[in-house]
């Protein structure tokens, strides 16, 4: 998992810089760093520091209000709605055609070779397909017999109207986090709920996130909550995604199951798939991400 993250972190600055030049939309890549506060349910083991050091990362512990903390200075962030908007514009500039609101219902093949996809808009003949449908990927690929152990995990988030400078780094404690944006907005997330494909929001999650936010950053106690929303993350065994070919389906590939790290690991995932589709050398060993049998069975 960290291999994907480190590779992607090295790619993001150049990617976002090009997108600004090409589209005029700034994804706001910001090297804000990450401060992990030791929580009630999650301790920071000393061997994590040794592991980080072996990878050349400047991780170190320090006291913050008598709490052990782990400082990860190399962590940066992007503003995902802006990144997706820039990517959409750039794809259209390159002639990419989007078929929106069109569901894939069936894969057609001759022997083991993919011939195309059946959709709600009719049959589309294609030689190569990448399934990147998040929490819905296992459902779409069920007919292939791959049986990926991907499940929806609901995450709810609050958006606070903060002020620029109130928080200048990402804070994390017990799998909750605060992410400051350049304009002062602050994201507070996230829950992890196993409720199937239910995307509703709840008062329980709102209170949980409010309590975490105020305890972690008391300056936000009077801040306005602008919005609450939820999303369905593609949960997988140990958060390790499936990236690569679907066995016995020549031309069919998958990139799914990234759980919390889809945006973090997107550049590495994309480069792996480009290499697979073009027959060029792979940037990383993809054996850990193979779509073979359910990992929970091992």
């Amino acid at each position: 998992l960290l291999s994907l993250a480190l590779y992607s972190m090295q790619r993001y600055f150049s990617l976002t810089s090009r997108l600004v030049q090409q589209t005029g939309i700034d994804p706001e890549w910001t090297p804000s760093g990450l401060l992990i506060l030791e929580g009630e349910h999650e301790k920071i083991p000393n061997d994590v520091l040794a592991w980080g050091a072996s990878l050349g990362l400047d991780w170190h512990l320090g006291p913050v209000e008598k709490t052990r903390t782990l400082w990860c200075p190399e962590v940066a962030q992007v503003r995902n709605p802006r990144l997706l908007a820039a990517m959409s514009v750039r794809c259209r500039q390159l002639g990419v055609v989007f078929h929106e609101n069109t569901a894939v219902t069936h894969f057609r093949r001759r022997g083991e070779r993919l011939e195309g996809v059946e959709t709600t808009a009719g049959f589309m003949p294609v030689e190569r397909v990448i399934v990147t449908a998040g929490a819905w990927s296992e459902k779409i690929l069920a007919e292939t017999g791959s049986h990926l152990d991907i499940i929806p995990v609901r995450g709810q988030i609050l958006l606070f109207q903060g002020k620029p400078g109130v928080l200048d780094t990402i804070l994390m404690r017990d799998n909750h986090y605060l992410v400051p944006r350049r304009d002062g907005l602050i994201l507070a997330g996230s829950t992890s709920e196993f409720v199937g494909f239910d995307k509703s929001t709840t008062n329980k999650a709102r209170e949980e996130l409010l309590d975490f936010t105020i305890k972690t950053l008391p300056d936000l106690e009077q801040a306005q909550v602008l919005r609450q929303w939820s999303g369905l993350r593609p949960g997988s065994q140990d958060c390790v995604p499936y990236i690569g070919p679907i066995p016995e389906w020549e031309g069919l590939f998958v990139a799914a199951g990234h759980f919390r790290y889809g945006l973090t690991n997107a550049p590495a995932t994309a480069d792996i798939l480009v290499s697979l589709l073009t027959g060029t050398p792979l940037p990383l060993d993809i054996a850990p991400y193979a779509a073979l049998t359910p990992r929970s069975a091992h």
Side-chain angles (χ1 to χ4, degrees), residues 20-298:
V20 173
Q21 297 171 357
Q22 294 160 344
T23 70
I25 301 173
D26 186 1
E28 295 190 4
W29 180 88
T30 305
S32 51
L34 167 65
L35 186 65
I36 302 175
L37 309 178
E38 193 164 67
E40 298 177 11
H41 310 294
E42 189 170 277
K43 303 301 181 182
I44 300 173
N46 288 324
D47 58 0
V48 168
L49 298 179
W51 180 51
S54 71
L55 296 168
L57 301 176
D58 183 25
W59 292 355
H60 58 269
L61 289 174
V64 173
E65 297 179 355
K66 299 181 181 180
T67 299
R68 278 162 46 102
T69 63
L70 179 61
W71 171 237
C72 307
E74 75 284 348
V75 173
Q77 59 161 295
V78 291
R79 200 156 177 170
N80 38 340
R82 293 173 181 263
L83 175 64
L84 292 173
M87 292 291 290
S88 178
V89 169
R90 182 57 182 155
C91 284
R92 287 180 166 87
Q93 289 174 350
L94 295 170
V96 175
V97 177
F98 291 86
H99 299 274
E100 299 182 271
N101 302 310
T102 303
V104 173
T105 58
H106 178 65
F107 299 104
R108 186 189 296 181
R109 65 176 174 173
R110 182 183 297 275
E112 293 189 357
R113 178 65 198 174
L114 183 72
E115 289 189 320
V117 292
E118 300 282 359
T119 78
T120 50
F123 177 71
M124 295 184 183
V126 289
E127 294 182 354
R128 291 184 290 271
V129 167
I130 303 169
V131 176
T132 60
W136 288 265
S137 297
E138 182 172 11
K139 283 188 172 185
I140 292 176
L141 288 166
E143 68 176 283
T144 69
S146 53
H147 302 300
L148 309 184
D149 50 346
I150 297 175
I151 60 173
V153 184
R154 184 171 70 188
Q156 298 189 51
I157 293 179
L158 298 183
L159 180 64
F160 287 86
Q161 180 61 69
K163 296 179 180 179
V166 169
L167 180 65
D168 58 6
T169 189
I170 302 169
L171 290 181
M172 180 176 288
R173 187 202 299 264
D174 284 335
N175 285 326
H176 287 356
Y177 55 78
L178 296 176
V179 181
R181 302 305 199 189
R182 292 181 185 177
D183 56 9
L185 297 179
I186 295 178
L187 292 172
S190 169
T191 60
S192 291
E193 305 166 75
F194 299 91
V195 293
F197 288 92
D198 179 2
K199 284 187 65 177
S200 59
T201 57
T202 65
N203 288 330
K204 179 182 178 181
R206 183 184 181 92
E207 293 304 315
E208 176 184 327
L209 294 173
L210 279 171
D211 181 66
F212 158 73
T213 299
I214 294 169
K215 285 182 177 178
T216 306
L217 192 64
D219 288 347
L220 291 180
E221 185 170 5
Q222 303 302 320
Q224 180 184 2
V225 177
L226 299 177
R227 188 182 167 206
Q228 177 181 359
W229 72 93
S230 73
L232 299 178
R233 295 167 299 204
S236 59
Q237 189 78 8
D238 297 325
C239 303
V240 178
Y242 294 95
I243 308 171
I246 297 295
E248 301 179 4
W249 284 77
E250 186 181 352
L252 185 58
F253 302 83
V254 63
H258 292 72
F259 195 30
R260 296 185 178 94
Y261 306 104
L263 191 66
T264 301
N265 294 333
T269 302
D271 282 358
I272 288 170
L273 290 164
V274 168
S275 295
L276 288 171
L277 266 61
T278 59
T280 54
L282 289 162
L284 296 167
D285 175 17
I286 66 170
Y289 321 115
L292 298 174
T293 57
R295 295 184 182 133
S296 56
H298 290 291

Side-chain angles (χ1 to χ4, degrees), residues 2-12 267-269 271 283-284:
L2 192 60
S3 295
L4 294 174
L6 293 175
Y7 180 96
S8 296
M9 287 164 57
Q10 295 170 358
R11 296 273 282 113
Y12 255 119
T269 302
D271 282 358
L284 296 167

